[in-house]
PDB file of all heavy atoms in Angstrom:
ATOM      1  N   GLY F 822      99.009 -21.441  60.192  1.00 93.00           N
ATOM      2  CA  GLY F 822      98.843 -22.564  61.106  1.00 93.00           C
ATOM      3  C   GLY F 822      98.593 -22.136  62.535  1.00 93.00           C
ATOM      4  O   GLY F 822      98.218 -22.938  63.378  1.00 93.00           O
ATOM      5  N   LYS F 833      96.223 -26.256  54.770  1.00 93.00           N
ATOM      6  CA  LYS F 833      96.056 -27.161  53.636  1.00 93.00           C
ATOM      7  C   LYS F 833      95.322 -26.488  52.482  1.00 93.00           C
ATOM      8  O   LYS F 833      95.591 -26.765  51.312  1.00 93.00           O
ATOM      9  CB  LYS F 833      95.324 -28.423  54.076  1.00 93.00           C
ATOM     10  CG  LYS F 833      96.157 -29.220  55.038  1.00 93.00           C
ATOM     11  CD  LYS F 833      95.799 -30.672  55.051  1.00 93.00           C
ATOM     12  CE  LYS F 833      96.728 -31.421  55.981  1.00 93.00           C
ATOM     13  NZ  LYS F 833      96.571 -31.014  57.395  1.00 93.00           N
ATOM     14  N   GLY F 843     103.558 -29.311  44.117  1.00 95.00           N
ATOM     15  CA  GLY F 843     102.963 -28.931  42.842  1.00 95.00           C
ATOM     16  C   GLY F 843     101.643 -28.194  42.978  1.00 95.00           C
ATOM     17  O   GLY F 843     101.427 -27.164  42.328  1.00 95.00           O
ATOM     18  N   ASP F 844     100.763 -28.705  43.821  1.00 95.00           N
ATOM     19  CA  ASP F 844      99.453 -28.067  43.970  1.00 95.00           C
ATOM     20  C   ASP F 844      99.571 -26.651  44.507  1.00 95.00           C
ATOM     21  O   ASP F 844      98.765 -25.782  44.188  1.00 95.00           O
ATOM     22  CB  ASP F 844      98.573 -28.892  44.915  1.00 95.00           C
ATOM     23  CG  ASP F 844      98.160 -30.199  44.269  1.00 95.00           C
ATOM     24  OD1 ASP F 844      98.249 -30.278  43.030  1.00 95.00           O
ATOM     25  OD2 ASP F 844      97.758 -31.121  44.988  1.00 95.00           O
ATOM     26  N   ARG F 848      98.126 -23.311  42.677  1.00 96.00           N
ATOM     27  CA  ARG F 848      97.181 -22.388  43.321  1.00 96.00           C
ATOM     28  C   ARG F 848      97.650 -20.949  43.175  1.00 96.00           C
ATOM     29  O   ARG F 848      96.865 -20.057  42.860  1.00 96.00           O
ATOM     30  CB  ARG F 848      97.070 -22.709  44.813  1.00 96.00           C
ATOM     31  CG  ARG F 848      96.204 -23.896  45.018  1.00 96.00           C
ATOM     32  CD  ARG F 848      95.586 -24.067  46.346  1.00 96.00           C
ATOM     33  NE  ARG F 848      94.584 -25.092  46.064  1.00 96.00           N
ATOM     34  CZ  ARG F 848      93.437 -25.213  46.649  1.00 96.00           C
ATOM     35  NH1 ARG F 848      93.118 -24.408  47.613  1.00 96.00           N
ATOM     36  NH2 ARG F 848      92.590 -26.144  46.288  1.00 96.00           N
ATOM     37  N   SER F1031     119.423 -12.600  62.850  1.00 90.00           N
ATOM     38  CA  SER F1031     119.715 -13.903  62.257  1.00 90.00           C
ATOM     39  C   SER F1031     121.146 -14.299  62.548  1.00 90.00           C
ATOM     40  O   SER F1031     122.062 -13.515  62.313  1.00 90.00           O
ATOM     41  CB  SER F1031     119.524 -13.858  60.744  1.00 90.00           C
ATOM     42  OG  SER F1031     118.208 -13.526  60.427  1.00 90.00           O
ATOM     43  N   GLN F1065     130.592 -22.559  67.739  1.00 94.00           N
ATOM     44  CA  GLN F1065     129.611 -21.738  67.008  1.00 94.00           C
ATOM     45  C   GLN F1065     129.212 -20.448  67.733  1.00 94.00           C
ATOM     46  O   GLN F1065     128.207 -19.842  67.397  1.00 94.00           O
ATOM     47  CB  GLN F1065     128.341 -22.543  66.678  1.00 94.00           C
ATOM     48  CG  GLN F1065     128.464 -23.470  65.505  1.00 94.00           C
ATOM     49  CD  GLN F1065     128.933 -24.858  65.897  1.00 94.00           C
ATOM     50  OE1 GLN F1065     128.749 -25.290  67.027  1.00 94.00           O
ATOM     51  NE2 GLN F1065     129.556 -25.545  64.968  1.00 94.00           N
ATOM     52  N   ARG F1079     123.258 -11.472  66.613  1.00 91.00           N
ATOM     53  CA  ARG F1079     122.119 -11.864  67.454  1.00 91.00           C
ATOM     54  C   ARG F1079     122.411 -11.525  68.914  1.00 91.00           C
ATOM     55  O   ARG F1079     121.588 -11.018  69.628  1.00 91.00           O
ATOM     56  CB  ARG F1079     121.865 -13.363  67.282  1.00 91.00           C
ATOM     57  CG  ARG F1079     120.814 -13.945  68.185  1.00 91.00           C
ATOM     58  CD  ARG F1079     119.441 -13.786  67.617  1.00 91.00           C
ATOM     59  NE  ARG F1079     118.485 -13.477  68.655  1.00 91.00           N
ATOM     60  CZ  ARG F1079     117.182 -13.416  68.464  1.00 91.00           C
ATOM     61  NH1 ARG F1079     116.674 -13.639  67.289  1.00 91.00           N
ATOM     62  NH2 ARG F1079     116.373 -13.111  69.430  1.00 91.00           N
ATOM     63  N   ALA F1108     121.632 -22.357  76.898  1.00 92.00           N
ATOM     64  CA  ALA F1108     122.548 -22.792  77.944  1.00 92.00           C
ATOM     65  C   ALA F1108     123.530 -23.790  77.349  1.00 92.00           C
ATOM     66  O   ALA F1108     123.129 -24.748  76.694  1.00 92.00           O
ATOM     67  CB  ALA F1108     121.757 -23.440  79.083  1.00 92.00           C
TER      68      ALA F1108
ATOM     69  N   LEU H 749      87.630 -26.636  45.415  1.00 92.00           N
ATOM     70  CA  LEU H 749      88.720 -25.793  45.902  1.00 92.00           C
ATOM     71  C   LEU H 749      89.113 -26.123  47.339  1.00 92.00           C
ATOM     72  O   LEU H 749      90.262 -25.998  47.722  1.00 92.00           O
ATOM     73  CB  LEU H 749      88.325 -24.314  45.800  1.00 92.00           C
ATOM     74  CG  LEU H 749      88.255 -23.757  44.386  1.00 92.00           C
ATOM     75  CD1 LEU H 749      87.711 -22.340  44.402  1.00 92.00           C
ATOM     76  CD2 LEU H 749      89.621 -23.786  43.727  1.00 92.00           C
ATOM     77  N   LYS H 786     102.375 -35.944  43.590  1.00 92.00           N
ATOM     78  CA  LYS H 786     101.919 -35.950  42.201  1.00 92.00           C
ATOM     79  C   LYS H 786     103.159 -36.030  41.330  1.00 92.00           C
ATOM     80  O   LYS H 786     104.220 -35.559  41.735  1.00 92.00           O
ATOM     81  CB  LYS H 786     101.162 -34.664  41.910  1.00 92.00           C
ATOM     82  CG  LYS H 786      99.921 -34.561  42.771  1.00 92.00           C
ATOM     83  CD  LYS H 786      98.832 -33.786  42.071  1.00 92.00           C
ATOM     84  CE  LYS H 786      97.531 -33.980  42.821  1.00 92.00           C
ATOM     85  NZ  LYS H 786      96.855 -32.752  43.112  1.00 92.00           N
ATOM     86  N   ASP H 789     105.380 -32.968  41.121  1.00 95.00           N
ATOM     87  CA  ASP H 789     105.891 -32.312  42.325  1.00 95.00           C
ATOM     88  C   ASP H 789     107.399 -32.090  42.263  1.00 95.00           C
ATOM     89  O   ASP H 789     107.926 -31.208  42.925  1.00 95.00           O
ATOM     90  CB  ASP H 789     105.570 -33.143  43.573  1.00 95.00           C
ATOM     91  CG  ASP H 789     104.140 -32.944  44.018  1.00 95.00           C
ATOM     92  OD1 ASP H 789     103.504 -31.991  43.537  1.00 95.00           O
ATOM     93  OD2 ASP H 789     103.663 -33.748  44.830  1.00 95.00           O
ATOM     94  N   SER H 827     128.409 -27.728  69.077  1.00 92.00           N
ATOM     95  CA  SER H 827     127.768 -27.113  70.236  1.00 92.00           C
ATOM     96  C   SER H 827     126.498 -27.867  70.618  1.00 92.00           C
ATOM     97  O   SER H 827     125.845 -27.512  71.589  1.00 92.00           O
ATOM     98  CB  SER H 827     127.446 -25.650  69.944  1.00 92.00           C
ATOM     99  OG  SER H 827     126.800 -25.530  68.707  1.00 92.00           O
ATOM    100  N   CYS H 834     116.540 -17.899  60.315  1.00 91.00           N
ATOM    101  CA  CYS H 834     115.624 -16.782  60.063  1.00 91.00           C
ATOM    102  C   CYS H 834     115.652 -15.747  61.185  1.00 91.00           C
ATOM    103  O   CYS H 834     115.979 -14.594  60.961  1.00 91.00           O
ATOM    104  CB  CYS H 834     114.212 -17.297  59.846  1.00 91.00           C
ATOM    105  SG  CYS H 834     114.001 -17.918  58.163  1.00 91.00           S
ATOM    106  N   HIS H 835     115.297 -16.153  62.412  1.00 90.00           N
ATOM    107  CA  HIS H 835     115.244 -15.171  63.487  1.00 90.00           C
ATOM    108  C   HIS H 835     116.024 -15.631  64.706  1.00 90.00           C
ATOM    109  O   HIS H 835     115.784 -15.182  65.823  1.00 90.00           O
ATOM    110  CB  HIS H 835     113.797 -14.875  63.885  1.00 90.00           C
ATOM    111  CG  HIS H 835     112.888 -14.713  62.716  1.00 90.00           C
ATOM    112  ND1 HIS H 835     112.004 -15.678  62.324  1.00 90.00           N
ATOM    113  CD2 HIS H 835     112.771 -13.711  61.821  1.00 90.00           C
ATOM    114  CE1 HIS H 835     111.357 -15.273  61.242  1.00 90.00           C
ATOM    115  NE2 HIS H 835     111.801 -14.091  60.914  1.00 90.00           N
ATOM    116  N   TYR H 840     117.856 -27.394  71.737  1.00 95.00           N
ATOM    117  CA  TYR H 840     118.859 -28.337  72.222  1.00 95.00           C
ATOM    118  C   TYR H 840     118.791 -29.625  71.415  1.00 95.00           C
ATOM    119  O   TYR H 840     117.872 -29.826  70.610  1.00 95.00           O
ATOM    120  CB  TYR H 840     118.633 -28.628  73.704  1.00 95.00           C
ATOM    121  CG  TYR H 840     118.861 -27.414  74.578  1.00 95.00           C
ATOM    122  CD1 TYR H 840     117.832 -26.873  75.346  1.00 95.00           C
ATOM    123  CD2 TYR H 840     120.113 -26.816  74.623  1.00 95.00           C
ATOM    124  CE1 TYR H 840     118.040 -25.761  76.137  1.00 95.00           C
ATOM    125  CE2 TYR H 840     120.332 -25.694  75.415  1.00 95.00           C
ATOM    126  CZ  TYR H 840     119.302 -25.170  76.167  1.00 95.00           C
ATOM    127  OH  TYR H 840     119.507 -24.067  76.940  1.00 95.00           O
ATOM    128  N   LEU H 873     103.167 -31.019  56.240  1.00 94.00           N
ATOM    129  CA  LEU H 873     103.986 -29.943  56.794  1.00 94.00           C
ATOM    130  C   LEU H 873     103.509 -29.655  58.216  1.00 94.00           C
ATOM    131  O   LEU H 873     102.344 -29.337  58.429  1.00 94.00           O
ATOM    132  CB  LEU H 873     103.824 -28.690  55.932  1.00 94.00           C
ATOM    133  CG  LEU H 873     104.586 -27.455  56.381  1.00 94.00           C
ATOM    134  CD1 LEU H 873     106.047 -27.582  55.990  1.00 94.00           C
ATOM    135  CD2 LEU H 873     103.995 -26.204  55.749  1.00 94.00           C
ATOM    136  N   GLY H 877      99.259 -25.317  64.298  1.00 89.00           N
ATOM    137  CA  GLY H 877      97.877 -25.778  64.270  1.00 89.00           C
ATOM    138  C   GLY H 877      97.767 -27.285  64.173  1.00 89.00           C
ATOM    139  O   GLY H 877      96.835 -27.890  64.700  1.00 89.00           O
ATOM    140  N   GLU H 878      98.708 -27.904  63.446  1.00 88.00           N
ATOM    141  CA  GLU H 878      98.680 -29.354  63.296  1.00 88.00           C
ATOM    142  C   GLU H 878     100.089 -29.898  63.394  1.00 88.00           C
ATOM    143  O   GLU H 878     100.706 -30.234  62.391  1.00 88.00           O
ATOM    144  CB  GLU H 878      98.051 -29.730  61.950  1.00 88.00           C
ATOM    145  CG  GLU H 878      96.867 -30.664  62.097  1.00 88.00           C
ATOM    146  CD  GLU H 878      96.105 -30.775  60.787  1.00 88.00           C
ATOM    147  OE1 GLU H 878      96.759 -30.941  59.746  1.00 88.00           O
ATOM    148  OE2 GLU H 878      94.871 -30.693  60.808  1.00 88.00           O
TER     149      GLU H 878
END
Side-chain angles (χ1 to χ4, degrees):
Chain F
K833 294 205 177 65
D844 290 341
R848 282 202 166 212
S1031 299
Q1065 281 90 25
R1079 174 85 218 187
Chain H
L749 289 174
K786 297 210 167 130
D789 281 346
S827 49
C834 280
H835 317 104
Y840 294 118
L873 179 78
E878 236 168 46

